[in-house]
């Protein structure tokens, strides 16, 4: 039973990038704010078991890979000695540094951070159970639901510590000799890249006919080529038909075009077949909040639910399930609560896959344009023609612009190559600002940098790019 009640203007449930961005802005705008989440500090999935630990480990993987690549430039290193305990500790230190920093920022802003699990009593009241909370009730004027998402589980799998999800893969309890990654989406490919760099023989099985569904195929091609080299095997159009634990590991039967009739055993299996909204918030049924068929909480452009006091943001409120989408929605919801006339209507939410090479895109994709029968012009600049890419010994990239042929406006941008995740920010700015191809060609880009590939792709649109020779048509 609840033993104390207090009141707040804004209660934020879930301390991920959506929740803490919302709580911090609300406090900066002068609201009394409580932020409730399950971990010691704010951070959510992204900081504790998602974006941040995975990127720390991928950075280590890149160093390992470069130490091998350097032999091509006449630099030989001793084979690396990997201290897994230290690597794990470093990754945990990164997480600790960032999450404790968020804890500090909460204190400085006088956001009341409550470690606990919240349930809804009604549209104005939360019940909070947890370590620092005891059991208490909190009434609020508004609440933002930012409870994130959970990994999808495949039905019918045996219970085994050898079958893991992304959270367990990031714990880095051991480096398996063999790893099957089920699912060719970004989380599986990123974690597969990391384990492959550590020496694990990685196999990927994907039901569809290509990796990274959602990305344009020409952006995926350079990654697919690299993946063929670093992973043991990639099986497309193939499903897992059966998994059984035996002495040596997990025995897997495959079904489909890539299966080649083989059964195989793997020391570990990483299931990364997607994520689902964490919308089973206890007590939600006591409100008017509605969910769609996939479980996402339905929201309007201000991120208000069907219950006027309740807003929802981030992974629980719809795709894409990305941290920066969550934090922007959080800011929109708070501004709406504060009475500002706002709407969440981005033209471009960037997606970045931190594999090697990286794949990034924003705005309209070529595939989307084709599906919508929309006439676009695509201008591509291959990185083999980029001085900077050659100095990095990484010409395996491409930068492309998707443009309106009439207005010459940039509608979408895609980049594959090392550092694509940083480069896509220029694309986001171009799409959001309605830049024309000439705005990009006339903006002087520094030399030698990979950013020049964006400028030269825009030059390609006009038919003349400095570093590409195209013979004149008669
Ligand atoms: C391995 C991995 C890698 C990823 N890499 C990237 C990346 O590179 N870039 C990117 O943009 N995105 C990445 N993501 C996705 C990203 O983590 C999510 O999109 C993002 O965390 C969503 O933020 P959120 O605010 O919606 O909620 P979350 O970060 O999911 O946080 C929700 C929080 O709410 C808490 N909570 C849930 N229910 C309750 C309750 N009833 N009471 C109290 N607390 C509750 C949870 O414990 C959690 O702390 C990755 C995800 C994974 C799994």
């Amino acid at each position: 039973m609840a033993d104390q009640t207090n009141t707040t203007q804004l209660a934020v449930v879930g301390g991920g990038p959506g929740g803490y961005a919302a709580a911090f802005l609300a406090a900066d705008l002068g609201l009394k704010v409580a932020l409730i989440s399950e971990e010691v500090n704010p951070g959510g999935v992204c900081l504790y078991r998602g974006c941040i630990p995975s990127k720390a480990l991928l950075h280590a993987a890149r160093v390992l890979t470069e130490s091998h690549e350097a032999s091509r430039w006449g630099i030989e290193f001793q084979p690396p000695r990997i201290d897994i305990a230290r690597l794990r500790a470093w990754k945990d230190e990164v997480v600790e540094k960032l999450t404790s920093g968020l804890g500090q920022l909460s204190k400085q802003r006088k956001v009341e951070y409550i470690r606990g699990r919240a349930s809804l009593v009604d549209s104005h009241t939360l019940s909070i159970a947890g370590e620092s909370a005891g059991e208490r009730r909190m009434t609020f004027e508004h609440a933002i639901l930012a409870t994130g998402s959970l990994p999808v589980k495949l039905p019918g799998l045996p219970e085994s510590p050898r079958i893991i999800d992304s959270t367990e893969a990031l714990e880095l309890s051991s480096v398996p000799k063999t790893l099957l990654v089920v699912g060719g989406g970004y989380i599986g490919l990123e974690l597969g890249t990391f384990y492959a760099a550590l020496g694990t023989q990685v196999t990927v099985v994907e039901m569809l006919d290509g990796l990274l569904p959602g990305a344009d195929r020409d952006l995926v091609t350079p990654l697919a080529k690299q993946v063929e080299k670093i992973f043991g095997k990639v099986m497309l159009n193939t499903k897992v038909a059966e998994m059984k634990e035996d002495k040596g590991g997990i025995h897997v039967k495959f079904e489909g075009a890539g299966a080649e009739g083989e059964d195989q055993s793997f020391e570990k299996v990483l299931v990364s077949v997607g994520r689902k909204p964490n919308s089973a918030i206890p007590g939600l049924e006591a409100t008017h909040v509605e969910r769609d068929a996939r479980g996402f909480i339905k929201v309007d452009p201000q991120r208000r639910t069907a219950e006027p006091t309740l807003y929802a943001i981030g992974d629980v409120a719809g795709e894409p399930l990305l941290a920066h989408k969550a934090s922007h929605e959080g800011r929109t919801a708070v501004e709406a609560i504060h009475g500002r006339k706002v709407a969440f209507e981005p033209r471009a939410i960037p997606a970045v896959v931190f594999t090697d090479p990286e794949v990034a895109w924003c705005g309209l994709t070529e595939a989307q344009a084709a599906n919508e029968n929309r006439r676009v012009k695509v201008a591509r600049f291959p990185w083999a023609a980029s001085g900077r890419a050659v100095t990095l010994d990484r010409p395996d990239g491409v930068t492309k612009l998707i443009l309106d042929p009439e207005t010459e406006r940039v509608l979408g941008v895609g980049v594959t190559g090392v550092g694509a995740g940083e480069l896509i920010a220029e694309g986001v700015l171009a799409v959001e600002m309605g830049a024309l191809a000439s705005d990009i060609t006339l903006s002087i880009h520094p030399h030698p940098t990979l950013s020049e590939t964006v400028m030269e792709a825009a030059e390609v649109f006009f038919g003349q790019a400095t570093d590409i020779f195209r013979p004149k048509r008669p």
Side-chain angles (χ1 to χ4, degrees):
M1 205 45 221
D3 58 16
Q4 49 173 306
T5 302
N6 62 354
T7 11
T8 191
Q9 283 177 291
L10 178 67
V12 181
V13 182
Y20 73 76
F24 290 2
L25 174 62
D28 290 346
L29 290 173
L31 297 183
K32 185 178 181 214
V33 184
L35 175 61
I36 305 115
S37 204
E38 294 171 300
E39 295 84 9
V40 183
N41 277 305
V45 169
C46 180
L47 277 88
Y48 280 99
R49 44 192 183 274
C51 332
I52 293 298
S54 61
K55 265 79 253 182
L57 295 180
L58 280 162
H59 172 62
R62 181 80 209 114
V63 172
L64 282 172
T65 310
E66 281 194 338
S67 75
H68 299 303
E69 288 169 357
S71 66
R72 288 203 295 266
W73 326 319
I75 303 168
E76 290 283 350
F77 291 99
Q78 295 290 325
R81 206 178 52 77
I82 302 165
D83 178 346
I84 285 297
R86 180 65 205 120
L87 182 55
R88 189 187 311 121
W90 172 71
K91 178 257 308 172
D92 291 342
E93 281 159 26
V94 170
V95 170
E96 164 61 21
K97 192 179 171 104
L98 292 173
T99 50
S100 60
L102 289 173
Q104 280 302 320
L105 287 171
S106 302
K107 284 199 184 95
Q108 286 163 341
R109 288 179 153 101
K110 303 204 172 6
V111 169
E112 185 189 3
Y113 182 73
I114 303 167
R115 185 177 185 190
R117 193 163 177 78
S119 44
L120 280 154
V121 177
D122 56 40
S123 58
H124 279 286
T125 318
L126 288 175
S127 164
I128 306 166
E131 278 177 36
S132 70
E135 170 106 37
R136 71 198 239 188
R137 286 198 175 197
M138 174 175 276
T139 57
F140 54 81
E141 288 169 20
H142 291 100
I144 296 179
L145 307 174
T147 50
S149 61
L150 300 166
V152 169
K153 290 192 190 319
L154 279 180
L157 296 189
E159 276 295 319
S160 165
R162 292 180 185 275
I163 302 177
I164 58 174
D165 61 17
S166 60
T167 303
E168 292 158 303
L170 287 168
E171 279 165 12
L172 195 51
S173 56
S174 66
V175 180
K177 284 201 172 58
T178 51
L179 174 73
L180 173 68
V181 176
V182 184
Y186 86 94
I187 293 179
L189 292 183
E190 287 186 2
L191 290 168
T193 300
F194 166 71
Y195 277 98
L198 252 52
T200 299
Q201 209 197 351
V202 176
T203 300
V204 176
V205 56
E206 164 59 52
M207 221 166 70
L208 302 176
D209 60 0
L211 301 172
L212 294 181
D216 276 342
R217 294 301 89 192
D218 57 344
L219 294 180
V220 178
T221 303
L223 172 66
K225 281 190 190 148
Q226 187 72 0
V227 153
E228 291 283 345
K229 281 189 231 159
I230 62 169
F231 292 175
K233 199 170 181 189
V234 178
M235 294 187 259
L236 299 175
N237 291 309
T238 308
K239 279 204 268 194
V240 168
E242 193 183 284
M243 272 193 211
K244 273 194 190 142
E245 181 151 25
D246 60 20
K247 272 204 304 292
I250 302 292
H251 190 77
V252 186
K253 278 191 184 156
F254 299 103
E255 201 177 80
E260 296 163 10
E262 290 171 43
D263 296 3
Q264 270 184 62
S265 276
F266 299 89
E267 192 178 325
K268 283 206 173 160
V269 174
L270 165 63
V271 178
S272 54
V273 290
R275 295 183 64 82
K276 58 176 188 197
N278 184 15
S279 61
I281 305 164
L284 200 64
E285 60 289 346
T287 71
H288 291 107
V289 172
E290 291 169 9
R291 282 176 287 204
D292 70 13
R294 296 169 63 200
F296 289 111
I297 294 181
K298 288 194 197 173
V299 288
D300 70 8
Q302 286 71 42
R303 292 317 185 234
R304 196 182 292 107
T305 68
E307 180 70 64
T309 55
L310 298 177
Y311 288 65
I313 59 167
D315 284 8
V316 77
E319 292 188 309
L321 308 190
L322 292 169
H324 39 277
K325 175 257 191 187
S327 50
H328 275 259
E329 284 183 312
R331 294 178 70 88
T332 302
V334 168
E335 292 195 31
I337 290 166
H338 199 244
R340 291 187 184 155
K341 225 175 157 221
V342 286
F344 184 74
E345 284 172 348
R347 280 187 185 159
I349 302 176
V352 180
V353 184
F354 291 84
T355 39
D356 182 15
E358 294 178 356
V359 183
W361 65 97
C362 71
L364 186 71
T365 64
E366 207 179 336
Q368 248 176 300
N371 283 345
E372 293 167 13
N373 276 329
R374 190 163 170 180
R375 211 163 71 80
V376 291
K377 192 163 169 192
V378 179
R380 279 186 195 82
F381 185 81
W383 283 25
S386 152
R388 186 61 180 139
V390 175
T391 64
L392 296 169
D393 197 16
R394 291 305 301 264
D396 55 329
V398 61
T399 298
K400 76 189 248 193
L401 303 180
I402 292 129
L403 301 117
D404 184 321
E406 312 299 329
T407 61
E408 302 182 354
R409 188 168 282 217
V410 182
L411 304 172
V413 178
V415 188
T416 296
V418 282
E422 305 289 338
L423 286 177
I424 200 64
E426 180 174 356
V428 175
L429 195 65
V431 175
E432 281 293 348
M433 295 194 68
L436 305 182
S438 55
D439 291 321
I440 298 183
T441 56
L442 293 173
S443 302
I444 301 178
H445 287 62
H447 178 74
T449 63
L450 296 170
S451 73
E452 287 170 297
T453 65
V454 181
M455 179 181 70
E456 293 217 43
E459 289 176 358
V460 167
F461 173 72
F462 293 112
Q464 194 281 331
T466 307
D467 291 297
I468 297 179
F469 175 66
R470 290 247 157 81
K472 280 205 179 76
R473 286 200 186 133

